[in-house]
Amino acid sequence: MDSSEKGNLDQVKHVVLVLSGKGGVGKSTITTELALALRHAGKKLGILDVDLCGPSIPRMLSVGKPEVHQCDAGWVPVYADPQQQLALMSIGFLLEDSDEAVVWRGPKKTALIGQFVSDVAWGELDVLLVDTPPGTSDEHLAVLENLRKHKVDGAVLVTTPQAVSTGDVRREITFCKKTGVKILGIVENMSGFVCPHCSECSNIFSKGGGEELAKLTGSVFLGSVPLDPLLTASLEEGRDFLQAFPESSTYTAISQIANTLLSSLDA
Amino acid sequence: MTVRAQAVTRLVNHQPVKDAQTKTYVRLVLPKLLIQVALLDVDICGPSIPKIMGLEGEQVHQSGSGWSPVYVEDNLAVMSIGFLLSSPDDAVIWRGPKKNGMIKQFLRDVDWGEVDYLIVDTPPGTSDEHLSIVQYLSGAGIDGAVIITTPQVNNRKSCDEGKSFLTEVPDSPAAVAYQNIVQKIRDYCSSNSTSDEPC
């Protein structure tokens, strides 16, 4: 390995993959909220968005369409805050047209991910969260191959309560076992619905599938996050939900998950 | 290549970009219309169709005329890699070229019989599976695509990407968007809310 590759990830203390079996479970949402919660806890964060066909994190963090610059060590990440505690690199930054579809086959995706992993000048980070697309294919293998030289602490698996989703997460668990990635825990998203008018958390969708799955597979259950329209609206507008609604039960849920994750990383 | 279905008169390429799991529920409507329907699951890494259609544990059989799909009803045949896996824990960790090969086999080697509608469930994104299915079916002609979404802006953007994909690939006609989930929440709140404010 050359010295610049070693340098770019060398000061990153922990690397955590965020995986899901199926799309639409809110993986990017969980990645974003975990990053914001860890930042509120005083940590320095990086997010690598390798969902090449559906990069949504730039919008969630309200960074828009910044220009990406290069320095001697590689790409300079984009900072989502003036204090530079939350760094982000996403394929979304490299697209000219925000409505443009990235229609690439596996080999091209693999090559770009390789660049992302080794050529971003992250600097010092406490945690680098890697947001992946759903599934177990080119992107996931590319991330692991390129991170092989650096330690991957493990993966957080996101599911929704429905059995269809948990069924897909079982395949992700197998992927982790086959590739030697430690499972840091399972997060059940969209677990219950918080109506801002009724102020009740109702279970119009099912609940508990993620926790059952954790028991079944001997994994840690990190916690559940409800379907909260205030959270959804914050993400659409690129606002920090945790700063805007610190009293909400959703805030408590996300913070607890972040703290549990941090404890297991520092252990 | 030729699709083995003897009379594929219409093809609807179901093209969700950001996957909402509930998109697949839409497909339950067509079989009631007394037409021959074939449902092909090309989400190779995340095959959900067997579970959603209540076909978990079903196996695919091979005969002289090819693989036989699994029949939910006499007029609804289903094929998915899920039927080839021996356990719900089995993961398909394949790169693009291998996935493409599987899709080709599904189209070439499955004995679909006479089909009025071939519906293809695709994974989220715009990648190998989508390019391949459009390419392989270009000879037969694809009628169109249905994009399933939920109301969030992030998903609407993904729909734009899906539509953009369809215009980039030749012979992919216009798409229709369908919004899901929101009515369920509205219905629940309007009948259960104790608040005076409308939801």
Side-chain angles (χ1 to χ4, degrees):
Chain A
M1 92 186 84
D2 64 57
S3 58
S4 70
E5 258 184 51
K6 190 169 163 23
N8 280 337
L9 286 171
D10 206 37
Q11 292 177 290
V12 174
K13 288 197 195 127
H14 299 292
V15 177
V16 176
L17 306 184
V18 184
L19 305 173
S20 78
K22 203 66 176 171
V25 301
K27 189 172 29 57
S28 297
T29 300
I30 295 296
T31 304
T32 304
E33 293 309 311
L34 275 180
L36 291 170
L38 291 169
R39 191 192 64 178
H40 283 295
K43 300 295 172 188
K44 226 174 161 212
L45 271 302
I47 300 179
L48 178 61
D49 182 1
V50 298
D51 192 345
L52 300 181
C53 298
S56 44
I57 299 205
R59 193 195 169 90
M60 290 180 179
L61 290 172
S62 199
V63 295
K65 298 235 6 103
E67 279 189 23
V68 187
H69 304 285
Q70 284 204 312
C71 64
D72 288 342
W75 295 104
V76 178
V78 173
Y79 290 97
D81 59 334
Q83 302 84 5
Q84 297 200 340
Q85 295 294 112
L86 179 45
L88 170 62
M89 177 51 74
S90 168
I91 182 67
F93 299 148
L94 306 181
L95 295 175
E96 276 180 23
D97 179 359
S98 60
D99 292 334
E100 195 183 307
V102 176
V103 187
W104 292 358
R105 289 195 183 267
K108 197 168 175 183
K109 292 195 281 189
T110 298
L112 182 65
I113 288 169
Q115 253 198 299
F116 265 3
V117 172
S118 57
D119 290 357
V120 177
W122 296 106
E124 259 190 52
L125 289 181
D126 291 300
V127 184
L128 174 62
L129 294 172
V130 185
D131 187 31
T132 62
T136 51
S137 190
D138 299 88
E139 295 91 332
H140 311 84
L141 292 168
V143 165
L144 286 177
E145 273 164 17
N146 284 281
L147 286 175
R148 214 170 23 209
K149 301 159 190 141
H150 188 88
K151 186 178 69 120
V152 172
D153 289 66
V156 169
L157 273 50
V158 182
T159 183
T160 53
Q162 291 83 1
V164 169
S165 170
T166 54
D168 285 306
V169 171
R170 286 174 78 165
R171 287 190 272 262
E172 290 296 317
I173 291 171
T174 304
F175 171 83
C176 290
K177 286 182 180 158
K178 284 198 169 168
T179 51
V181 174
K182 180 181 170 189
I183 296 167
L184 295 167
I186 294 176
V187 172
E188 182 176 303
N189 195 18
M190 304 193 204
S191 183
F193 173 71
V194 177
C195 174
H197 300 295
C198 313
S199 301
E200 284 167 23
C201 188
S202 46
N203 294 326
I204 55 168
F205 302 118
S206 47
K207 190 175 164 67
E211 197 161 4
E212 270 173 45
L213 177 67
K215 278 193 206 131
L216 185 69
T217 56
S219 314
V220 170
F221 182 60
L222 287 171
S224 49
V225 179
L227 190 59
D228 188 335
L230 293 175
L231 172 60
T232 311
S234 298
L235 290 161
E236 289 190 5
E237 294 154 25
R239 279 189 293 135
D240 184 344
F241 169 82
L242 300 173
Q243 209 156 39
F245 302 102
E247 306 295 313
S248 73
S249 54
T250 309
Y251 172 94
T252 311
I254 294 170
S255 300
Q256 274 174 0
I257 291 170
N259 288 333
T260 310
L261 179 63
L262 210 50
S263 309
S264 68
L265 289 176
D266 289 335
Chain B
M1 62 169 287
T2 350
V3 178
R4 282 200 60 163
Q6 282 153 8
V8 179
T9 56
R10 273 181 277 260
L11 299 176
V12 177
N13 185 355
H14 184 170
Q15 176 80 60
V17 182
K18 263 300 202 240
D19 178 273
Q21 291 149 257
T22 45
K23 73 186 194 299
T24 48
Y25 302 157
V26 177
R27 281 186 294 276
L28 298 178
V29 172
L30 278 177
K32 309 289 183 197
L33 302 177
L34 298 179
I35 46 179
Q36 290 296 126
V37 182
L39 174 55
L40 175 58
D41 181 3
V42 299
D43 191 344
I44 305 293
C45 294
S48 306
I49 297 294
K51 185 159 189 91
I52 285 169
M53 302 298 283
L55 299 173
E56 270 188 315
E58 292 285 341
Q59 298 284 305
V60 165
H61 304 285
Q62 241 186 337
S63 68
S65 49
W67 289 351
S68 54
V70 176
Y71 283 88
V72 178
E73 321 235 2
D74 290 340
N75 64 337
L76 175 53
V78 181
M79 179 54 75
S80 167
I81 196 170
F83 299 137
L84 305 176
L85 303 174
S86 50
S87 148
D89 292 317
D90 281 351
V92 181
I93 309 173
W94 289 359
R95 293 185 190 273
K98 206 163 171 184
K99 292 192 284 187
N100 298 338
M102 186 83 255
I103 293 170
K104 208 185 252 188
Q105 259 195 291
F106 279 157
L107 292 172
R108 190 187 56 209
D109 297 340
V110 171
D111 184 12
W112 294 104
E114 279 206 26
V115 172
D116 293 308
Y117 278 90
L118 173 64
I119 299 177
V120 184
D121 184 27
T122 59
T126 49
S127 187
D128 290 273
E129 296 89 333
H130 311 84
L131 285 166
S132 295
I133 200 74
V134 171
Q135 186 191 327
Y136 298 152
L137 291 175
S138 58
I142 297 177
D143 286 65
V146 177
I147 301 180
I148 305 290
T149 183
T150 51
Q152 289 84 1
V153 172
N154 266 326
N155 289 344
R156 251 180 272 151
K157 178 182 174 306
S158 299
C159 280
D160 289 337
E161 287 168 6
K163 285 186 227 164
S164 152
F165 163 78
L166 292 168
T167 56
E168 279 178 38
V169 182
D171 300 325
S172 276
V176 172
Y178 179 87
Q179 291 204 0
N180 208 346
I181 292 181
V182 65
Q183 197 53 49
K184 190 169 181 177
I185 294 174
R186 280 197 190 127
D187 290 345
Y188 180 89
C189 277
S190 60
S191 57
N192 289 283
S193 173
T194 51
S195 156
D196 290 330
E197 275 190 58
C199 289

